[in-house]
């Protein structure tokens, strides 16, 4: 079965094509980059609408396929930004109707789990999902992917981007903060905000901006923010692993491209005699291949959807998905 996946939850428009063996035949990404300021949902959606046809054509060309070779269309139903989600859903419905093929709306967060499971060889991990819009610690239990810890306010990646904007580092500031942190050598007083199994990042943002106003170096601020946030993520992930008795940790989401975060989680896993798994970078960030693969395994497990079932859900929770394929 050949499945095309359309990802459109936020700034990234992704078109991916997979086969039944989770071979990624194409994975084309076109990211909206605002000329200034932060991400505006409507502007990002306009970008996606303008680009979606050409990106689909590019993905088909990369895979060496014709549109008539597609057997199933899958799209990101949520969670995400409403205008962006609607573009992905509309494109998927149009393909489904034109080609008379089945359609599948999938949960973006679960897609990160399943592409990691399929491509890294892990069996039953705890997922640390760290991205711009989401920060969750997820594991499978009793028929669903359960959330054992999550952000109470903003995602860690969102916090990095907001901090970058406040400090004049530009938007999509994660890579810049990572680079600055390598030159930092002083751990400043940043609030460590773990509340039970959950985390909060907005107070860290406020504290970091305040430290800059007091004259502290950008390098030390970046270093302190990274060390604090990544220690929080490691703590909650480790406690989730202990709670559910799992010895594998899978990383997903754009923030896991940060080498320091991978080092922190790898050290935690090593001390627990556990294994850490990280998909290749283009499968960590938002992408269409993961959407295609989740659509495939859902369809193969017997899930069917009509057009009425494909309404977007901006607050589509990970633990709302019935995992019929496990």
């Amino acid at each position: 079965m050949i499945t095309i996946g359309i990802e459109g939850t936020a700034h990234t428009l992704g078109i991916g094509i997979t086969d039944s063996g989770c071979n990624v035949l194409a994975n084309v990404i076109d990211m909206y980059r605002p000329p200034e300021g932060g991400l505006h949902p409507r502007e990002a959606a306009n970008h996606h609408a303008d680009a979606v046809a050409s990106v689909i054509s590019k993905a088909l060309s990369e895979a060496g396929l014709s549109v008539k070779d597609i057997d199933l269309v899958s799209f990101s139903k949520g969670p995400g930004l409403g205008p962006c989600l609607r573009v992905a859903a509309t494109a998927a419905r149009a393909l489904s109707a034109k080609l008379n093929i089945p359609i599948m709306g999938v949960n973006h967060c679960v897609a990160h789990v399943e592409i990691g499971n399929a491509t890294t060889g892990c069996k039953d991990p705890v997922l640390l999902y760290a991205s711009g819009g989401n920060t969750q610690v997820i594991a499978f239990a009793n028929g669903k992917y359960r959330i054992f810890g999550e952000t109470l306010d903003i995602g860690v990646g969102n916090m990095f981007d907001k901090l970058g904007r406040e400090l004049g580092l530009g938007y999509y500031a994660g890579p810049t903060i990572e680079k600055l942190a390598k030159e930092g050598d002083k751990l400043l007083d940043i609030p460590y905000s773990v509340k039970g199994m959950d985390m909060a990042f907005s107070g860290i943002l406020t504290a970091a901006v305040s430290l800059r106003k007091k004259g502290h170096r950008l390098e030390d601020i970046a270093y302190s923010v990274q060390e604090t946030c990544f220690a929080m993520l490691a703590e909650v992930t480790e406690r989730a692993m202990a709670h559910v008795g799992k010895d594998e940790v899978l990383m997903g989401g754009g923030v896991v491209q940060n080498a320091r975060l991978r080092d922190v989680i790898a050290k935690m896993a090593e001390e627990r005699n556990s294994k850490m798994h990280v998909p290749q970078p283009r499968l960590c960030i938002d992408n269409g291949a993961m959407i295609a693969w989740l659509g495939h395994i859902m369809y193969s497990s017997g899930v069917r959807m009509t057009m009425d079932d494909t309404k977007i859900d901006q607050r589509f929770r990970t633990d709302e998905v019935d995992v019929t394929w496990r």
Side-chain angles (χ1 to χ4, degrees):
M1 175 179 281
I2 303 296
T3 305
I4 188 168
I6 305 175
E7 157 61 21
T9 53
H11 51 62
T12 298
L13 172 68
I15 306 296
I17 301 175
T18 60
D19 65 13
S20 297
C22 199
N23 295 301
V24 178
L25 308 179
N27 198 22
V28 181
I29 292 170
D30 190 327
M31 183 181 292
Y32 171 68
R33 298 183 181 277
E36 61 181 5
L39 177 68
H40 190 286
R42 176 53 59 190
E43 293 172 357
N46 290 340
H47 163 269
H48 296 353
D50 290 341
V52 66
S54 62
V55 178
I56 289 173
S57 295
K58 186 175 180 180
L60 288 168
S61 177
E62 184 177 298
L65 297 172
S66 159
V67 69
K68 295 180 181 179
D69 296 317
I70 302 300
D71 301 304
L72 173 69
V73 58
S74 177
F75 72 96
S76 49
K77 183 176 179 178
L81 303 175
C84 300
L85 290 170
R86 279 188 281 275
V87 173
T90 300
R93 293 184 195 116
L95 276 177
S96 174
K98 180 178 176 61
L99 301 174
N100 194 28
I101 58 175
I103 188 170
M104 196 67 56
V106 308
N107 181 282
H108 174 92
C109 308
V110 174
H112 276 290
V113 181
E114 292 300 348
I115 197 68
N117 286 343
T119 60
T120 66
C122 59
K123 304 299 183 184
D124 189 21
V126 167
L127 172 75
L128 171 56
Y129 174 35
S131 71
N134 299 281
T135 300
Q136 296 179 335
V137 177
I138 302 164
F140 181 76
N142 299 323
K144 292 189 176 183
Y145 282 112
R146 309 288 177 174
I147 300 170
F148 288 90
E150 62 184 321
T151 178
L152 296 173
D153 43 32
I154 57 177
V156 62
N158 192 351
M159 187 274 291
F160 284 154
D161 287 336
K162 288 177 180 289
L163 179 59
R165 190 164 64 246
E166 292 288 338
L167 299 183
L169 305 178
Y171 193 57
Y172 303 141
T176 304
I177 290 172
E178 180 180 9
K179 184 177 180 179
L180 286 169
K182 292 177 181 178
E183 305 301 322
D185 57 13
K186 184 178 181 181
L187 189 63
L188 304 172
D189 187 15
I190 297 284
Y192 187 93
S193 301
V194 172
K195 304 173 186 298
M197 285 293 286
D198 296 323
M199 301 150 284
F201 296 101
S202 58
I204 294 173
L205 169 64
T206 302
V209 172
S210 176
L211 288 168
R212 182 57 176 166
K213 290 178 180 178
K214 292 177 182 177
H216 289 280
R217 295 195 313 145
L218 284 174
E219 292 84 354
D220 291 334
I221 293 171
Y223 171 74
S224 302
V225 168
Q226 274 201 174
E227 292 302 302
T228 301
C229 291
F230 296 166
M232 290 162 53
L233 293 172
E235 178 189 338
V236 174
T237 303
E238 182 176 19
R239 284 199 276 128
M241 293 173 72
H243 179 68
V244 295
K246 299 185 189 294
D247 60 3
E248 294 178 304
V249 56
L250 172 67
M251 301 180 73
V255 179
V256 308
Q257 295 181 97
N258 185 298
R260 178 56 182 159
L261 175 57
R262 295 197 302 272
D263 288 344
V264 169
I265 300 302
K267 180 65 174 177
M268 178 274 288
E270 179 185 358
E271 291 178 350
R272 290 187 54 80
N273 294 316
S274 301
K275 294 181 179 179
M276 182 186 79
H277 302 273
V278 186
Q280 59 179 271
R282 285 180 71 84
L283 295 178
C284 285
I285 62 176
D286 294 351
N287 65 92
M290 70 180 193
I291 302 300
W293 178 242
L294 179 54
H296 166 78
I297 59 177
M298 288 175 64
Y299 188 83
S300 298
S301 73
V303 178
R304 298 292 183 270
M305 289 187 179
T306 67
M307 289 294 182
D308 289 341
D309 299 320
T310 64
K311 295 176 183 177
I312 66 163
D313 185 350
Q314 291 178 254
R315 301 183 182 278
F316 193 6
R317 298 265 309 169
T318 306
D319 50 10
E320 292 176 349
V321 180
D322 291 321
V323 182
T324 57
W325 54 92
R326 292 191 55 160

